[in-house]
Amino acid sequence: MGKGLIVGSTGAYNAAMFSFIKKKLGWGQGSTEPAAPQSSTPAAEPASPPQPPQAVATTTVAPASSPAVPAPVVAPIPTPTPASQPPQPSQASAAPAPVTAASPSAPPAPAVERRSWLDKLRQGLRKTGSSIAQVFTGTQIDDALYEELESALLMADAGVAATEFLLQDLKKRVKDSKATAPEQVKGLLIDAITELLTPLEKPLEVGHHTPTVIMVAGVNGAGKTTTIGKLTRHLADAGQRVLLAAADTFRAAAREQLLVWADRNHVEIVSQEGGDPAAVTFDAVQAGRARGCDVVIADTAGRLATQLHLMDELRKVKRVIGKAMESAPHEVLLVVDGNTGQNALSQVKAFDEAIGLTGLVVTKLDGTAKGGVLAAIALWSQQRHSAVPVYFIGVGEKLEDLQTFNAREFAQALLT
């Protein structure tokens, strides 16, 4: 209960934006976040930025961050560069050496990978953004521009309420900034969208409870089970012990699909062929507690929000999880298909009313013409007692295509 871990990413592909699972304990007290590099980088605390590309998972997993400093006195490797600089203790000369060696080679990898992912996001949102961007190709700011922008936002499935909200906010920004060119208005719209979406930007935290129980819901075809597989991989690579619960007993291939992901990620799974979903999740939570797992993820059956008897079943699953472990589930995630536009907002509202959502994962944003729905979700979230964050967005089938949500990057990708 004492440790909190922030879920962002794993691997070297996007360390800058996606610093997957960092220990909050001790942050802001002088020790860097990825505190325990590999044994070859003892005192590399001041130069943590170069390390992310390859040490993210390993660094996080290492339990002892500060004790690791004295041990690596065996650092004759660094002698190439800084050996001649500080003639003091061998430890002092050993520390800077790896820093200098790592600096030039480490940073490029995450930067390149991050650009690659942002390019995918821009490409995916092109159908949505192209119609909006065309509005700003004129030469003057007039009523015609705002009318075209209104139509473009509605076509992007931002919804009437969010469209009106953005237009009013944009007109105020244009007036305050005394903008005179449409291109300036485009920049101000990026700022307005960013401000609207920022409350949705929040990392998924695990580790406050052992195990952290995550319940995942969604309609059929939204990419729920695949998202669970990717999230499991990220967690497992970061040193977390994950247990899966195959509680989607209604769909014939669901259990087999989750078994494949469990095998691929080398994690344990609790499943029963044709069993009761609530019983499966109960057994999984009990097993997770007994085996000392860090995270238990329950895959529930895909269902439409209009199928009331199935929504009742989902409520039952949540209640039973609470009986298996007090305060669980600690996260209730909904996976929504970004291609469904305003229907995605309807799903969010219905599932939130039934099981009380704590976060969203928006998938299939690659090639959608309805990316504006996030603005509608953000506006709805403002009117709720607490915001429902978008933990991850997906732009493809690959593991690295599931990334944490960043409001400004999304707004820029939408309009560039």
Side-chain angles (χ1 to χ4, degrees), residues 121 124-125 216-228 230 334-341 344 347 360-371 373-374 377 390-397 401-403 405 410:
L121 181 61
L125 293 173
V216 185
V219 303
N220 287 322
K224 175 171 53 64
T225 305
T226 301
T227 298
I228 290 173
K230 291 178 180 179
L334 178 68
V335 179
V336 292
D337 182 346
N339 280 302
T340 56
Q347 292 173 27
L360 304 173
V361 179
V362 183
T363 62
K364 304 183 182 181
L365 284 172
D366 46 327
T368 181
K370 301 180 177 181
V373 70
L374 261 71
I377 291 174
V390 175
Y391 287 137
F392 300 98
I393 57 176
V395 294
E397 293 296 323
D401 291 338
L402 182 71
Q403 296 279 345
F405 174 70
F410 184 87

mmCIF file of all heavy atoms in Angstrom, residues 121 124-125 216-228 230 334-341 344 347 360-371 373-374 377 390-397 401-403 405 410:
data_model
loop_
_atom_site.group_PDB
_atom_site.id
_atom_site.type_symbol
_atom_site.label_atom_id
_atom_site.label_comp_id
_atom_site.label_asym_id
_atom_site.label_seq_id
_atom_site.Cartn_x
_atom_site.Cartn_y
_atom_site.Cartn_z
ATOM 1 N N LEU A 121 0.045 8.964 -35.319
ATOM 2 C CA LEU A 121 -1.135 9.628 -34.770
ATOM 3 C C LEU A 121 -1.657 10.671 -35.753
ATOM 4 O O LEU A 121 -2.865 10.753 -36.006
ATOM 5 C CB LEU A 121 -0.789 10.285 -33.424
ATOM 6 C CG LEU A 121 -1.937 10.999 -32.710
ATOM 7 C CD1 LEU A 121 -3.066 10.025 -32.387
ATOM 8 C CD2 LEU A 121 -1.443 11.665 -31.430
ATOM 9 N N GLY A 124 -3.257 8.905 -38.583
ATOM 10 C CA GLY A 124 -4.534 8.329 -38.187
ATOM 11 C C GLY A 124 -5.639 9.358 -38.083
ATOM 12 O O GLY A 124 -6.798 9.083 -38.405
ATOM 13 N N LEU A 125 -5.265 10.570 -37.650
ATOM 14 C CA LEU A 125 -6.273 11.622 -37.467
ATOM 15 C C LEU A 125 -6.431 12.504 -38.709
ATOM 16 O O LEU A 125 -7.154 13.501 -38.676
ATOM 17 C CB LEU A 125 -5.898 12.498 -36.267
ATOM 18 C CG LEU A 125 -5.947 11.811 -34.900
ATOM 19 C CD1 LEU A 125 -5.386 12.729 -33.817
ATOM 20 C CD2 LEU A 125 -7.370 11.398 -34.544
ATOM 21 N N VAL A 216 -11.846 -4.526 -16.771
ATOM 22 C CA VAL A 216 -11.905 -3.935 -18.112
ATOM 23 C C VAL A 216 -13.203 -4.333 -18.800
ATOM 24 O O VAL A 216 -13.550 -5.508 -18.857
ATOM 25 C CB VAL A 216 -10.698 -4.373 -18.967
ATOM 26 C CG1 VAL A 216 -10.709 -3.645 -20.307
ATOM 27 C CG2 VAL A 216 -9.388 -4.096 -18.236
ATOM 28 N N ALA A 217 -13.919 -3.325 -19.314
ATOM 29 C CA ALA A 217 -15.192 -3.565 -19.997
ATOM 30 C C ALA A 217 -15.162 -2.934 -21.383
ATOM 31 O O ALA A 217 -14.249 -2.166 -21.716
ATOM 32 C CB ALA A 217 -16.352 -2.987 -19.176
ATOM 33 N N GLY A 218 -16.174 -3.237 -22.186
ATOM 34 C CA GLY A 218 -16.260 -2.656 -23.530
ATOM 35 C C GLY A 218 -17.206 -3.456 -24.397
ATOM 36 O O GLY A 218 -17.530 -4.607 -24.082
ATOM 37 N N VAL A 219 -17.637 -2.847 -25.496
ATOM 38 C CA VAL A 219 -18.529 -3.549 -26.409
ATOM 39 C C VAL A 219 -17.705 -4.481 -27.295
ATOM 40 O O VAL A 219 -16.483 -4.344 -27.408
ATOM 41 C CB VAL A 219 -19.344 -2.563 -27.281
ATOM 42 C CG1 VAL A 219 -20.140 -1.608 -26.423
ATOM 43 C CG2 VAL A 219 -18.431 -1.790 -28.226
ATOM 44 N N ASN A 220 -18.377 -5.421 -27.936
ATOM 45 C CA ASN A 220 -17.682 -6.340 -28.840
ATOM 46 C C ASN A 220 -17.009 -5.573 -29.978
ATOM 47 O O ASN A 220 -17.598 -4.665 -30.559
ATOM 48 C CB ASN A 220 -18.683 -7.342 -29.435
ATOM 49 C CG ASN A 220 -19.122 -8.370 -28.414
ATOM 50 O OD1 ASN A 220 -18.325 -8.814 -27.597
ATOM 51 N ND2 ASN A 220 -20.391 -8.734 -28.441
ATOM 52 N N GLY A 221 -15.769 -5.943 -30.268
ATOM 53 C CA GLY A 221 -15.060 -5.340 -31.395
ATOM 54 C C GLY A 221 -14.308 -4.072 -31.079
ATOM 55 O O GLY A 221 -13.667 -3.492 -31.955
ATOM 56 N N ALA A 222 -14.340 -3.620 -29.832
ATOM 57 C CA ALA A 222 -13.644 -2.373 -29.481
ATOM 58 C C ALA A 222 -12.143 -2.578 -29.312
ATOM 59 O O ALA A 222 -11.381 -1.619 -29.274
ATOM 60 C CB ALA A 222 -14.230 -1.778 -28.207
ATOM 61 N N GLY A 223 -11.709 -3.832 -29.200
ATOM 62 C CA GLY A 223 -10.284 -4.104 -28.999
ATOM 63 C C GLY A 223 -9.936 -4.302 -27.540
ATOM 64 O O GLY A 223 -8.790 -4.106 -27.123
ATOM 65 N N LYS A 224 -10.908 -4.743 -26.762
ATOM 66 C CA LYS A 224 -10.742 -4.879 -25.312
ATOM 67 C C LYS A 224 -9.675 -5.905 -24.941
ATOM 68 O O LYS A 224 -8.743 -5.612 -24.187
ATOM 69 C CB LYS A 224 -12.103 -5.244 -24.699
ATOM 70 C CG LYS A 224 -12.124 -5.551 -23.228
ATOM 71 C CD LYS A 224 -13.541 -5.687 -22.725
ATOM 72 C CE LYS A 224 -14.351 -6.680 -23.550
ATOM 73 N NZ LYS A 224 -13.864 -8.063 -23.476
ATOM 74 N N THR A 225 -9.814 -7.124 -25.470
ATOM 75 C CA THR A 225 -8.882 -8.199 -25.100
ATOM 76 C C THR A 225 -7.478 -7.904 -25.613
ATOM 77 O O THR A 225 -6.480 -8.156 -24.921
ATOM 78 C CB THR A 225 -9.386 -9.545 -25.650
ATOM 79 O OG1 THR A 225 -10.721 -9.763 -25.185
ATOM 80 C CG2 THR A 225 -8.511 -10.680 -25.171
ATOM 81 N N THR A 226 -7.377 -7.326 -26.809
ATOM 82 C CA THR A 226 -6.061 -6.958 -27.350
ATOM 83 C C THR A 226 -5.413 -5.878 -26.492
ATOM 84 O O THR A 226 -4.202 -5.921 -26.226
ATOM 85 C CB THR A 226 -6.207 -6.449 -28.801
ATOM 86 O OG1 THR A 226 -6.792 -7.478 -29.598
ATOM 87 C CG2 THR A 226 -4.856 -6.081 -29.383
ATOM 88 N N THR A 227 -6.205 -4.916 -26.049
ATOM 89 C CA THR A 227 -5.683 -3.855 -25.178
ATOM 90 C C THR A 227 -5.172 -4.437 -23.869
ATOM 91 O O THR A 227 -4.114 -4.036 -23.364
ATOM 92 C CB THR A 227 -6.786 -2.807 -24.896
ATOM 93 O OG1 THR A 227 -7.169 -2.197 -26.131
ATOM 94 C CG2 THR A 227 -6.295 -1.746 -23.928
ATOM 95 N N ILE A 228 -5.914 -5.399 -23.312
ATOM 96 C CA ILE A 228 -5.470 -6.062 -22.082
ATOM 97 C C ILE A 228 -4.127 -6.754 -22.315
ATOM 98 O O ILE A 228 -3.220 -6.682 -21.476
ATOM 99 C CB ILE A 228 -6.524 -7.070 -21.605
ATOM 100 C CG1 ILE A 228 -7.766 -6.344 -21.089
ATOM 101 C CG2 ILE A 228 -5.963 -7.977 -20.497
ATOM 102 C CD1 ILE A 228 -8.924 -7.252 -20.747
ATOM 103 N N LYS A 230 -1.782 -5.970 -24.483
ATOM 104 C CA LYS A 230 -0.709 -4.975 -24.606
ATOM 105 C C LYS A 230 -0.352 -4.383 -23.250
ATOM 106 O O LYS A 230 0.824 -4.212 -22.915
ATOM 107 C CB LYS A 230 -1.135 -3.857 -25.565
ATOM 108 C CG LYS A 230 -1.247 -4.286 -27.020
ATOM 109 C CD LYS A 230 -1.724 -3.121 -27.877
ATOM 110 C CE LYS A 230 -1.858 -3.524 -29.342
ATOM 111 N NZ LYS A 230 -2.347 -2.405 -30.176
ATOM 112 N N LEU A 334 -12.912 1.354 -19.450
ATOM 113 C CA LEU A 334 -13.763 1.080 -20.607
ATOM 114 C C LEU A 334 -12.929 1.280 -21.864
ATOM 115 O O LEU A 334 -12.302 2.327 -22.043
ATOM 116 C CB LEU A 334 -14.978 2.017 -20.634
ATOM 117 C CG LEU A 334 -15.910 1.838 -21.840
ATOM 118 C CD1 LEU A 334 -16.626 0.484 -21.767
ATOM 119 C CD2 LEU A 334 -16.931 2.973 -21.918
ATOM 120 N N VAL A 335 -12.927 0.281 -22.723
ATOM 121 C CA VAL A 335 -12.235 0.378 -24.013
ATOM 122 C C VAL A 335 -13.271 0.764 -25.060
ATOM 123 O O VAL A 335 -14.277 0.070 -25.228
ATOM 124 C CB VAL A 335 -11.568 -0.959 -24.391
ATOM 125 C CG1 VAL A 335 -10.871 -0.843 -25.746
ATOM 126 C CG2 VAL A 335 -10.564 -1.370 -23.313
ATOM 127 N N VAL A 336 -13.043 1.890 -25.741
ATOM 128 C CA VAL A 336 -13.987 2.352 -26.759
ATOM 129 C C VAL A 336 -13.285 2.487 -28.107
ATOM 130 O O VAL A 336 -12.104 2.835 -28.172
ATOM 131 C CB VAL A 336 -14.641 3.705 -26.380
ATOM 132 C CG1 VAL A 336 -15.549 3.552 -25.191
ATOM 133 C CG2 VAL A 336 -13.603 4.777 -26.114
ATOM 134 N N ASP A 337 -14.020 2.200 -29.157
ATOM 135 C CA ASP A 337 -13.522 2.296 -30.528
ATOM 136 C C ASP A 337 -13.660 3.744 -30.998
ATOM 137 O O ASP A 337 -14.761 4.289 -31.052
ATOM 138 C CB ASP A 337 -14.349 1.355 -31.413
ATOM 139 C CG ASP A 337 -13.878 1.331 -32.856
ATOM 140 O OD1 ASP A 337 -13.093 2.213 -33.246
ATOM 141 O OD2 ASP A 337 -14.316 0.434 -33.608
ATOM 142 N N GLY A 338 -12.530 4.377 -31.330
ATOM 143 C CA GLY A 338 -12.551 5.774 -31.759
ATOM 144 C C GLY A 338 -13.319 6.004 -33.039
ATOM 145 O O GLY A 338 -13.684 7.140 -33.362
ATOM 146 N N ASN A 339 -13.567 4.939 -33.797
ATOM 147 C CA ASN A 339 -14.298 5.074 -35.065
ATOM 148 C C ASN A 339 -15.800 5.235 -34.869
ATOM 149 O O ASN A 339 -16.511 5.546 -35.827
ATOM 150 C CB ASN A 339 -14.062 3.845 -35.949
ATOM 151 C CG ASN A 339 -12.724 3.924 -36.661
ATOM 152 O OD1 ASN A 339 -12.455 4.861 -37.395
ATOM 153 N ND2 ASN A 339 -11.869 2.939 -36.425
ATOM 154 N N THR A 340 -16.279 4.995 -33.656
ATOM 155 C CA THR A 340 -17.731 5.017 -33.447
ATOM 156 C C THR A 340 -18.277 6.410 -33.160
ATOM 157 O O THR A 340 -19.484 6.600 -33.048
ATOM 158 C CB THR A 340 -18.123 4.079 -32.289
ATOM 159 O OG1 THR A 340 -17.397 4.455 -31.107
ATOM 160 C CG2 THR A 340 -17.801 2.630 -32.628
ATOM 161 N N GLY A 341 -17.414 7.409 -33.035
ATOM 162 C CA GLY A 341 -17.860 8.782 -32.889
ATOM 163 C C GLY A 341 -18.754 9.007 -31.681
ATOM 164 O O GLY A 341 -18.431 8.599 -30.566
ATOM 165 N N ALA A 344 -19.535 6.414 -29.147
ATOM 166 C CA ALA A 344 -18.551 6.173 -28.084
ATOM 167 C C ALA A 344 -18.937 6.940 -26.822
ATOM 168 O O ALA A 344 -18.811 6.430 -25.704
ATOM 169 C CB ALA A 344 -17.155 6.584 -28.550
ATOM 170 N N GLN A 347 -21.693 5.136 -25.093
ATOM 171 C CA GLN A 347 -21.170 3.980 -24.366
ATOM 172 C C GLN A 347 -20.552 4.409 -23.044
ATOM 173 O O GLN A 347 -20.785 3.782 -22.001
ATOM 174 C CB GLN A 347 -20.118 3.265 -25.217
ATOM 175 C CG GLN A 347 -20.663 2.573 -26.451
ATOM 176 C CD GLN A 347 -19.542 2.036 -27.324
ATOM 177 O OE1 GLN A 347 -18.454 1.727 -26.833
ATOM 178 N NE2 GLN A 347 -19.789 1.935 -28.622
ATOM 179 N N LEU A 360 -10.474 5.514 -19.353
ATOM 180 C CA LEU A 360 -10.819 5.063 -20.703
ATOM 181 C C LEU A 360 -9.567 4.688 -21.480
ATOM 182 O O LEU A 360 -8.471 5.193 -21.221
ATOM 183 C CB LEU A 360 -11.547 6.171 -21.475
ATOM 184 C CG LEU A 360 -12.821 6.771 -20.872
ATOM 185 C CD1 LEU A 360 -13.278 7.954 -21.721
ATOM 186 C CD2 LEU A 360 -13.912 5.721 -20.782
ATOM 187 N N VAL A 361 -9.762 3.800 -22.446
ATOM 188 C CA VAL A 361 -8.745 3.508 -23.455
ATOM 189 C C VAL A 361 -9.452 3.668 -24.799
ATOM 190 O O VAL A 361 -10.444 2.990 -25.062
ATOM 191 C CB VAL A 361 -8.185 2.083 -23.328
ATOM 192 C CG1 VAL A 361 -7.138 1.838 -24.422
ATOM 193 C CG2 VAL A 361 -7.590 1.848 -21.951
ATOM 194 N N VAL A 362 -8.972 4.604 -25.626
ATOM 195 C CA VAL A 362 -9.591 4.853 -26.928
ATOM 196 C C VAL A 362 -8.724 4.194 -27.993
ATOM 197 O O VAL A 362 -7.552 4.543 -28.165
ATOM 198 C CB VAL A 362 -9.738 6.363 -27.203
ATOM 199 C CG1 VAL A 362 -10.448 6.599 -28.537
ATOM 200 C CG2 VAL A 362 -10.511 7.037 -26.078
ATOM 201 N N THR A 363 -9.296 3.231 -28.704
ATOM 202 C CA THR A 363 -8.535 2.451 -29.683
ATOM 203 C C THR A 363 -8.920 2.833 -31.113
ATOM 204 O O THR A 363 -9.863 3.582 -31.342
ATOM 205 C CB THR A 363 -8.799 0.949 -29.492
ATOM 206 O OG1 THR A 363 -10.204 0.694 -29.728
ATOM 207 C CG2 THR A 363 -8.443 0.503 -28.087
ATOM 208 N N LYS A 364 -8.168 2.295 -32.055
ATOM 209 C CA LYS A 364 -8.467 2.390 -33.495
ATOM 210 C C LYS A 364 -8.569 3.827 -33.983
ATOM 211 O O LYS A 364 -9.417 4.159 -34.811
ATOM 212 C CB LYS A 364 -9.752 1.622 -33.814
ATOM 213 C CG LYS A 364 -9.686 0.156 -33.367
ATOM 214 C CD LYS A 364 -10.907 -0.630 -33.744
ATOM 215 C CE LYS A 364 -10.806 -2.062 -33.231
ATOM 216 N NZ LYS A 364 -11.964 -2.891 -33.595
ATOM 217 N N LEU A 365 -7.686 4.685 -33.473
ATOM 218 C CA LEU A 365 -7.651 6.062 -33.946
ATOM 219 C C LEU A 365 -6.869 6.184 -35.254
ATOM 220 O O LEU A 365 -6.730 7.285 -35.785
ATOM 221 C CB LEU A 365 -7.028 6.981 -32.884
ATOM 222 C CG LEU A 365 -7.938 7.331 -31.700
ATOM 223 C CD1 LEU A 365 -7.164 8.074 -30.632
ATOM 224 C CD2 LEU A 365 -9.136 8.142 -32.141
ATOM 225 N N ASP A 366 -6.338 5.076 -35.738
ATOM 226 C CA ASP A 366 -5.625 5.106 -37.013
ATOM 227 C C ASP A 366 -6.647 5.057 -38.154
ATOM 228 O O ASP A 366 -7.270 4.045 -38.402
ATOM 229 C CB ASP A 366 -4.656 3.929 -37.121
ATOM 230 C CG ASP A 366 -5.295 2.613 -36.696
ATOM 231 O OD1 ASP A 366 -6.155 2.636 -35.796
ATOM 232 O OD2 ASP A 366 -4.941 1.563 -37.272
ATOM 233 N N GLY A 367 -6.821 6.194 -38.813
ATOM 234 C CA GLY A 367 -7.714 6.242 -39.957
ATOM 235 C C GLY A 367 -9.134 6.645 -39.644
ATOM 236 O O GLY A 367 -10.015 6.500 -40.482
ATOM 237 N N THR A 368 -9.382 7.178 -38.467
ATOM 238 C CA THR A 368 -10.753 7.574 -38.127
ATOM 239 C C THR A 368 -11.056 8.989 -38.603
ATOM 240 O O THR A 368 -10.178 9.847 -38.654
ATOM 241 C CB THR A 368 -11.001 7.503 -36.610
ATOM 242 O OG1 THR A 368 -12.343 7.881 -36.338
ATOM 243 C CG2 THR A 368 -10.068 8.426 -35.846
ATOM 244 N N ALA A 369 -12.318 9.218 -38.964
ATOM 245 C CA ALA A 369 -12.768 10.561 -39.338
ATOM 246 C C ALA A 369 -13.561 11.168 -38.193
ATOM 247 O O ALA A 369 -14.170 12.219 -38.341
ATOM 248 C CB ALA A 369 -13.626 10.491 -40.598
ATOM 249 N N LYS A 370 -13.553 10.501 -37.035
ATOM 250 C CA LYS A 370 -14.406 10.928 -35.925
ATOM 251 C C LYS A 370 -13.614 11.164 -34.640
ATOM 252 O O LYS A 370 -14.118 10.950 -33.544
ATOM 253 C CB LYS A 370 -15.485 9.870 -35.687
ATOM 254 C CG LYS A 370 -16.365 9.642 -36.926
ATOM 255 C CD LYS A 370 -17.432 8.603 -36.682
ATOM 256 C CE LYS A 370 -18.332 8.438 -37.902
ATOM 257 N NZ LYS A 370 -19.399 7.454 -37.701
ATOM 258 N N GLY A 371 -12.365 11.620 -34.797
ATOM 259 C CA GLY A 371 -11.523 11.854 -33.628
ATOM 260 C C GLY A 371 -12.012 12.979 -32.739
ATOM 261 O O GLY A 371 -11.575 13.111 -31.590
ATOM 262 N N VAL A 373 -14.608 13.159 -31.200
ATOM 263 C CA VAL A 373 -15.427 12.667 -30.091
ATOM 264 C C VAL A 373 -14.728 12.844 -28.746
ATOM 265 O O VAL A 373 -15.386 12.940 -27.707
ATOM 266 C CB VAL A 373 -15.806 11.182 -30.313
ATOM 267 C CG1 VAL A 373 -14.582 10.287 -30.163
ATOM 268 C CG2 VAL A 373 -16.906 10.755 -29.353
ATOM 269 N N LEU A 374 -13.403 12.928 -28.750
ATOM 270 C CA LEU A 374 -12.698 13.145 -27.482
ATOM 271 C C LEU A 374 -13.066 14.491 -26.873
ATOM 272 O O LEU A 374 -13.082 14.641 -25.645
ATOM 273 C CB LEU A 374 -11.180 13.048 -27.680
ATOM 274 C CG LEU A 374 -10.581 11.686 -27.286
ATOM 275 C CD1 LEU A 374 -11.005 10.633 -28.286
ATOM 276 C CD2 LEU A 374 -9.069 11.747 -27.198
ATOM 277 N N ILE A 377 -16.323 13.866 -25.126
ATOM 278 C CA ILE A 377 -16.089 13.118 -23.886
ATOM 279 C C ILE A 377 -15.512 14.044 -22.811
ATOM 280 O O ILE A 377 -15.887 13.972 -21.635
ATOM 281 C CB ILE A 377 -15.152 11.926 -24.148
ATOM 282 C CG1 ILE A 377 -15.864 10.875 -25.016
ATOM 283 C CG2 ILE A 377 -14.677 11.295 -22.845
ATOM 284 C CD1 ILE A 377 -14.978 9.721 -25.459
ATOM 285 N N VAL A 390 -8.453 9.647 -19.964
ATOM 286 C CA VAL A 390 -8.101 8.738 -21.060
ATOM 287 C C VAL A 390 -6.667 8.278 -20.776
ATOM 288 O O VAL A 390 -5.719 9.033 -20.972
ATOM 289 C CB VAL A 390 -8.190 9.439 -22.434
ATOM 290 C CG1 VAL A 390 -7.701 8.506 -23.536
ATOM 291 C CG2 VAL A 390 -9.620 9.865 -22.716
ATOM 292 N N TYR A 391 -6.526 7.064 -20.280
ATOM 293 C CA TYR A 391 -5.197 6.573 -19.917
ATOM 294 C C TYR A 391 -4.342 6.275 -21.146
ATOM 295 O O TYR A 391 -3.161 6.584 -21.188
ATOM 296 C CB TYR A 391 -5.320 5.304 -19.068
ATOM 297 C CG TYR A 391 -5.793 5.545 -17.651
ATOM 298 C CD1 TYR A 391 -6.746 4.726 -17.062
ATOM 299 C CD2 TYR A 391 -5.280 6.587 -16.894
ATOM 300 C CE1 TYR A 391 -7.176 4.929 -15.757
ATOM 301 C CE2 TYR A 391 -5.698 6.812 -15.594
ATOM 302 C CZ TYR A 391 -6.651 5.970 -15.028
ATOM 303 O OH TYR A 391 -7.071 6.187 -13.736
ATOM 304 N N PHE A 392 -4.950 5.655 -22.150
ATOM 305 C CA PHE A 392 -4.193 5.262 -23.338
ATOM 306 C C PHE A 392 -5.007 5.509 -24.602
ATOM 307 O O PHE A 392 -6.241 5.495 -24.576
ATOM 308 C CB PHE A 392 -3.831 3.765 -23.287
ATOM 309 C CG PHE A 392 -3.004 3.372 -22.102
ATOM 310 C CD1 PHE A 392 -3.597 2.817 -20.982
ATOM 311 C CD2 PHE A 392 -1.633 3.554 -22.103
ATOM 312 C CE1 PHE A 392 -2.841 2.452 -19.882
ATOM 313 C CE2 PHE A 392 -0.869 3.198 -21.012
ATOM 314 C CZ PHE A 392 -1.473 2.635 -19.896
ATOM 315 N N ILE A 393 -4.298 5.721 -25.711
ATOM 316 C CA ILE A 393 -4.930 5.748 -27.020
ATOM 317 C C ILE A 393 -4.171 4.791 -27.931
ATOM 318 O O ILE A 393 -2.954 4.624 -27.804
ATOM 319 C CB ILE A 393 -4.984 7.165 -27.634
ATOM 320 C CG1 ILE A 393 -3.584 7.774 -27.737
ATOM 321 C CG2 ILE A 393 -5.900 8.068 -26.850
ATOM 322 C CD1 ILE A 393 -3.577 9.135 -28.425
ATOM 323 N N GLY A 394 -4.895 4.162 -28.826
ATOM 324 C CA GLY A 394 -4.290 3.180 -29.722
ATOM 325 C C GLY A 394 -4.376 3.622 -31.164
ATOM 326 O O GLY A 394 -5.416 4.099 -31.621
ATOM 327 N N VAL A 395 -3.267 3.480 -31.893
ATOM 328 C CA VAL A 395 -3.243 3.888 -33.298
ATOM 329 C C VAL A 395 -2.787 2.754 -34.215
ATOM 330 O O VAL A 395 -2.351 2.994 -35.329
ATOM 331 C CB VAL A 395 -2.321 5.115 -33.505
ATOM 332 C CG1 VAL A 395 -2.872 6.329 -32.809
ATOM 333 C CG2 VAL A 395 -0.903 4.825 -33.017
ATOM 334 N N GLY A 396 -2.873 1.521 -33.729
ATOM 335 C CA GLY A 396 -2.450 0.402 -34.566
ATOM 336 C C GLY A 396 -2.433 -0.900 -33.799
ATOM 337 O O GLY A 396 -2.814 -0.962 -32.632
ATOM 338 N N GLU A 397 -1.970 -1.937 -34.468
ATOM 339 C CA GLU A 397 -1.991 -3.279 -33.900
ATOM 340 C C GLU A 397 -0.748 -3.614 -33.088
ATOM 341 O O GLU A 397 -0.758 -4.520 -32.269
ATOM 342 C CB GLU A 397 -2.146 -4.323 -35.026
ATOM 343 C CG GLU A 397 -3.499 -4.275 -35.738
ATOM 344 C CD GLU A 397 -4.640 -4.622 -34.799
ATOM 345 O OE1 GLU A 397 -4.464 -5.497 -33.931
ATOM 346 O OE2 GLU A 397 -5.714 -4.006 -34.920
ATOM 347 N N ASP A 401 2.018 0.720 -30.364
ATOM 348 C CA ASP A 401 0.962 1.614 -30.849
ATOM 349 C C ASP A 401 -0.033 1.982 -29.758
ATOM 350 O O ASP A 401 -0.914 2.806 -29.984
ATOM 351 C CB ASP A 401 0.213 0.965 -32.022
ATOM 352 C CG ASP A 401 1.076 0.862 -33.268
ATOM 353 O OD1 ASP A 401 2.046 1.635 -33.370
ATOM 354 O OD2 ASP A 401 0.797 0.009 -34.127
ATOM 355 N N LEU A 402 0.092 1.378 -28.600
ATOM 356 C CA LEU A 402 -0.725 1.769 -27.445
ATOM 357 C C LEU A 402 0.111 2.719 -26.595
ATOM 358 O O LEU A 402 1.117 2.321 -26.022
ATOM 359 C CB LEU A 402 -1.134 0.543 -26.617
ATOM 360 C CG LEU A 402 -2.038 0.840 -25.411
ATOM 361 C CD1 LEU A 402 -3.433 1.239 -25.877
ATOM 362 C CD2 LEU A 402 -2.122 -0.364 -24.484
ATOM 363 N N GLN A 403 -0.301 3.986 -26.540
ATOM 364 C CA GLN A 403 0.503 5.002 -25.875
ATOM 365 C C GLN A 403 -0.346 5.814 -24.901
ATOM 366 O O GLN A 403 -1.578 5.872 -25.015
ATOM 367 C CB GLN A 403 1.102 5.963 -26.918
ATOM 368 C CG GLN A 403 2.076 5.305 -27.876
ATOM 369 C CD GLN A 403 3.456 5.150 -27.277
ATOM 370 O OE1 GLN A 403 3.753 5.773 -26.259
ATOM 371 N NE2 GLN A 403 4.296 4.347 -27.888
ATOM 372 N N PHE A 405 -2.050 9.065 -23.285
ATOM 373 C CA PHE A 405 -2.717 10.194 -23.932
ATOM 374 C C PHE A 405 -2.087 11.509 -23.507
ATOM 375 O O PHE A 405 -1.880 11.755 -22.328
ATOM 376 C CB PHE A 405 -4.207 10.192 -23.571
ATOM 377 C CG PHE A 405 -4.954 11.396 -24.075
ATOM 378 C CD1 PHE A 405 -5.190 11.561 -25.429
ATOM 379 C CD2 PHE A 405 -5.409 12.369 -23.189
ATOM 380 C CE1 PHE A 405 -5.879 12.673 -25.901
ATOM 381 C CE2 PHE A 405 -6.096 13.472 -23.656
ATOM 382 C CZ PHE A 405 -6.336 13.633 -25.007
ATOM 383 N N PHE A 410 -2.229 15.458 -29.067
ATOM 384 C CA PHE A 410 -3.439 15.054 -29.784
ATOM 385 C C PHE A 410 -3.995 16.247 -30.561
ATOM 386 O O PHE A 410 -4.363 16.128 -31.739
ATOM 387 C CB PHE A 410 -4.483 14.526 -28.806
ATOM 388 C CG PHE A 410 -5.718 13.996 -29.476
ATOM 389 C CD1 PHE A 410 -5.772 12.675 -29.893
ATOM 390 C CD2 PHE A 410 -6.820 14.812 -29.694
ATOM 391 C CE1 PHE A 410 -6.913 12.168 -30.514
ATOM 392 C CE2 PHE A 410 -7.954 14.330 -30.326
ATOM 393 C CZ PHE A 410 -7.996 13.001 -30.735
#
